């Protein structure tokens, strides 16, 4: 009688494959630098907007209009930052999503279940927390989507500032969460924050996207073809009434993110490598500069915790995000019978979930869209986003610092390369050639130690 077949236990948040580890490391390196610039831009905006002698110049700079009025594009600088520059950010988000779907963690439904469910719960629970806070407090439920977004760049900037390390699996989990989060944020903007639709302009935008797709399939190359076409598509999408950033993510999703014979990197990865620094280093910081400048007087900060709309944002980011992501991860592991990697503990997942409560760029954007026409409440909601993100950052700092010594050991083990072949040793442990190289290295080290000991003994005898 044959033994019953057992299904191997799948590991949740286990070590990444070597190609995935390399991609995640490269992506997060750029995002970390961009996050630090974003942090500086946010601080600069707050200083600029709160110094009495400079406050008027901040408003004047943000309200300055430029662009062709005949094309409906005579916009303020603040408007250009939100609708124009963030289209670049969402273009990169579209490429990231496409890559995750065809070559990353999301291509495998079983592996994708955990970050997707965690991200969905991490958006649903903050929206629920916001809604309950406002229903019970008599506030407006229009801002339910504000605390649903995670800002990966700002989260990584916090990691860089506090000097903590995260194992590759947790960093990849955070990045995948952000990618899925961006996708659903785009859907929320498209579905819930489109007040009017100009079908002629929308049809033109779709026609432009079809031409963009056809040129890609025909293998046409040259930035001088795609950049002007992208600008036309963006302008048509803007004039259609659908938020213009949708054009960015649509074009990002059209790029091919799988490699063909003879290619080291796919076209999508190459373009992402070129555009990501522009997004992280220029587009997002400039958006923050012209959107994070809100009054932070004692009275204004006190109002954040008294008004249901602003309190709902803070609680959604700090409590809703943490509970949603941690709960979604735990439930997925529980019902798919996946065990957590032996290198990690559930406390680590909770810490990363609290870090995901930093919602900045997209939260500020949705806050503007949700309360259009009410400038006072818009600024108060922006202040709530800043407060909630700061509290989430402080909580994550404490939780991550507690585990930082263990993280450092895990990262050192992941990066150790004693045979100096450019591949971390942990990925070669099942390779016989690796063990032969390591034996030779240890033999040389032992011989060197014996030689030094003999020389010391000779000097002592003399």
């Amino acid at each position: 009688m044959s033994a019953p077949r057992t299904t191997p236990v799948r590991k949740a948040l286990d070590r990444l494959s070597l190609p995935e580890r390399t991609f995640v490391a490269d992506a997060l390196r750029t995002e970390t630098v961009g996050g630090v610039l974003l942090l500086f831009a946010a601080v600069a905006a707050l200083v600029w907007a709160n110094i009495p002698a400079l406050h008027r110049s901040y408003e004047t700079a943000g309200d300055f209009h430029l662009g062709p009025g005949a094309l409906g594009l005579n916009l303020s600088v603040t408007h250009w930052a939100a609708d124009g520059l963030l289209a670049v950010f969402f273009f990169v988000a579209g490429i990231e999503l496409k890559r995750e779907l065809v070559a990353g963690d999301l291509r495998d439904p079983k592996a994708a279940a955990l970050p997707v469910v965690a991200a969905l719960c991490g958006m649903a629970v903050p929206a629920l927390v916001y809604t309950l806070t406002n229903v019970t407090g008599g506030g407006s439920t229009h801002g339910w989507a504000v605390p649903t977004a995670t800002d990966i760049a700002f989260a990584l900037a916090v990691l860089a500032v506090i000097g903590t390390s995260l194992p590759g699996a947790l960093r990849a989990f955070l990045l995948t969460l952000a990618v899925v989060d961006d996708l659903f944020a785009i859907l929320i903007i498209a579905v819930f924050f489109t007040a009017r639709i100009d079908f002629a302009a929308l049809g033109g935008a779709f026609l432009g996207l079809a031409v963009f797709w056809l040129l890609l399939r025909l293998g046409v190359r040259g930035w001088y073809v795609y950049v002007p076409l992208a600008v036309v598509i963006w302008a048509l999408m803007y004039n259609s009434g659908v938020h213009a950033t949708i054009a960015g993510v649509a074009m990002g999703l059209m790029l091919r993110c799988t490699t063909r014979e003879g290619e080291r990197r796919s076209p999508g990865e190459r373009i992402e490598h070129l555009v990501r620094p522009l997004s992280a280093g220029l587009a997002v910081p400039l958006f923050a500069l012209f959107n994070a400048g809100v009054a932070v007087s004692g009275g204004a900060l006190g109002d954040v915790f008294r008004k249901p709309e602003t309190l709902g944002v803070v609680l959604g980011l700090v409590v809703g995000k943490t509970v949603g992501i941690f709960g979604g991860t735990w439930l997925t592991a529980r019902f798919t019978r996946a065990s957590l990697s032996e290198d990690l503990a559930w406390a680590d997942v909770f810490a990363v979930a609290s870090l995901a409560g930093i919602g900045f760029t997209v939260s500020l954007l949705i806050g503007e869209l949700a309360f259009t026409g009410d400038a006072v409440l818009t600024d108060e909601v922006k202040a709530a986003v800043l407060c909630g993100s700061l509290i989430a950052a402080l909580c994550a700092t404490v939780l991550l610092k507690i585990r930082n010594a263990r993280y450092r050991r895990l990262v050192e083990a992941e990066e150790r390369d004693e045979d100096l072949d450019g591949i971390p040793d942990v990925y070669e442990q099942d390779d016989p050639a690796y063990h032969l190289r390591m034996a030779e290295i240890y033999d040389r080290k032992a011989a060197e130690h014996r030689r030094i000991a003999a020389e010391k003994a000779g000097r002592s005898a003399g």
Side-chain angles (χ1 to χ4, degrees):
M1 185 176 178
S2 61
R5 182 180 301 174
T6 59
T7 303
V9 177
R10 187 170 57 83
K11 295 291 184 183
L13 303 180
D14 205 359
R15 184 191 310 131
L16 303 174
S17 65
L18 185 57
E20 189 69 10
R21 176 187 180 276
T22 302
F23 173 82
V24 169
D26 290 342
L28 293 183
R29 192 177 298 113
T30 304
E31 290 289 355
T32 300
V33 174
V36 174
L37 293 175
L38 174 61
L39 186 59
F40 280 125
V43 172
L46 290 170
V47 171
W48 191 2
N50 285 276
I51 294 178
L54 300 176
H55 175 72
R56 182 61 61 87
S57 67
Y58 181 77
E59 291 185 345
T60 302
D63 290 338
F64 181 78
H65 280 62
L66 68 158
L71 299 178
L73 296 174
N74 184 26
L75 310 177
S76 68
V77 170
T78 301
H79 211 155
W80 275 111
D83 287 88
L85 292 177
L86 279 195
V88 179
F89 167 79
F90 279 109
F91 174 70
V92 174
I95 300 175
E96 287 178 337
L97 177 62
K98 178 69 174 288
R99 187 202 163 276
E100 287 291 330
L101 289 170
V102 301
D105 288 342
L106 299 184
R107 74 185 186 280
D108 178 4
K110 290 182 179 179
L114 190 142
V116 170
V117 172
L120 286 173
C121 292
M123 298 185 82
V125 176
L128 181 62
V129 169
Y130 177 93
T131 302
L132 290 175
T133 303
N134 281 269
V135 167
T136 57
S140 169
T141 58
H142 291 312
W144 61 271
V146 175
T148 60
T150 292
D151 195 312
I152 179 67
F154 221 130
L156 291 170
V158 170
L159 289 177
V161 170
I162 65 177
T164 189
S165 302
L166 274 186
L170 287 179
R171 286 179 172 261
F173 179 59
L174 186 60
L175 181 61
T176 308
L177 276 177
V179 170
V180 179
D181 194 286
D182 286 341
L183 167 65
F184 286 101
I186 292 161
L187 294 176
I188 287 172
I189 290 170
V191 174
F192 295 99
F193 296 104
T194 299
R196 60 168 185 84
I197 296 180
D198 183 329
F199 287 100
L202 186 61
F206 279 121
L207 179 61
L209 288 170
V211 172
F212 189 89
W213 178 84
L214 183 61
L215 292 174
L216 289 172
R217 292 299 171 273
L218 292 175
V220 176
R221 295 189 176 188
W223 65 267
Y224 46 84
V225 174
Y226 291 101
V227 171
L229 179 58
V231 172
V232 171
I233 294 170
W234 173 86
L236 287 168
M237 190 69 75
Y238 174 81
N239 282 291
S240 74
V242 177
H243 202 271
T245 53
I246 305 300
V249 74
M251 287 183 278
L253 285 169
M254 289 182 180
L255 295 177
R256 177 168 60 84
C257 292
T258 53
T259 56
R260 293 176 179 171
E261 187 176 353
E263 290 182 335
R264 192 171 63 87
R265 289 190 300 180
S266 67
E269 288 177 297
R270 289 199 306 271
I271 294 172
E272 181 188 12
H273 182 73
L274 292 172
V275 179
R276 186 188 285 275
L278 176 64
S279 169
L282 181 66
V284 175
L286 280 178
F287 169 80
L289 182 64
F290 289 104
N291 284 271
V294 294
V296 290
S297 63
L301 292 177
D303 287 342
V304 165
F305 299 96
R306 285 193 289 266
K307 288 189 174 182
E309 293 90 350
T310 50
L311 180 60
V313 170
V314 173
L315 292 177
L317 289 171
V318 177
V319 178
K321 272 287 182 183
T322 305
V323 172
I325 291 174
F326 179 81
T329 305
W330 186 86
L331 288 172
T332 304
R334 172 71 176 81
F335 289 104
T336 60
R337 296 181 179 180
S339 65
L340 195 65
S341 170
E342 57 269 14
D343 291 333
L344 303 175
W346 284 107
D348 302 316
V349 180
F350 190 86
V352 170
S354 67
L355 186 66
I358 300 173
F360 190 76
T361 306
V362 180
S363 291
L364 292 177
L365 175 62
I366 294 177
E368 285 197 344
L369 297 174
F371 298 103
T372 300
D374 190 338
V376 174
L377 188 53
T378 298
D379 280 349
E380 290 172 342
V381 167
K382 287 182 179 180
V385 170
L386 295 174
C387 286
S389 298
L390 178 61
I391 294 171
L394 293 174
C395 292
T397 297
V398 173
L399 294 172
L400 292 170
K401 279 295 186 183
I402 293 173
R403 301 277 292 172
N404 195 41
R406 176 163 178 75
Y407 293 155
R408 193 178 295 113
R409 290 195 297 271
L410 290 174
V411 170
E412 287 174 355
E414 288 179 357
E415 296 180 350
R416 186 176 296 117
D417 182 20
E418 293 193 11
D419 58 349
L420 302 177
D421 65 347
I423 300 175
D425 296 340
V426 71
Y427 291 96
E428 300 181 293
Q429 289 175 353
D430 296 328
D431 181 4
Y434 164 77
H435 292 289
L436 180 60
R437 289 196 304 272
M438 293 306 297
E440 292 173 350
I441 290 171
Y442 290 138
D443 286 343
R444 287 199 300 270
K445 288 183 177 180
E448 181 67 13
H449 287 313
R450 287 194 297 270
R451 184 185 65 78
I452 294 172
E455 289 179 354
K456 288 182 178 178
R459 286 196 296 267
S460 298

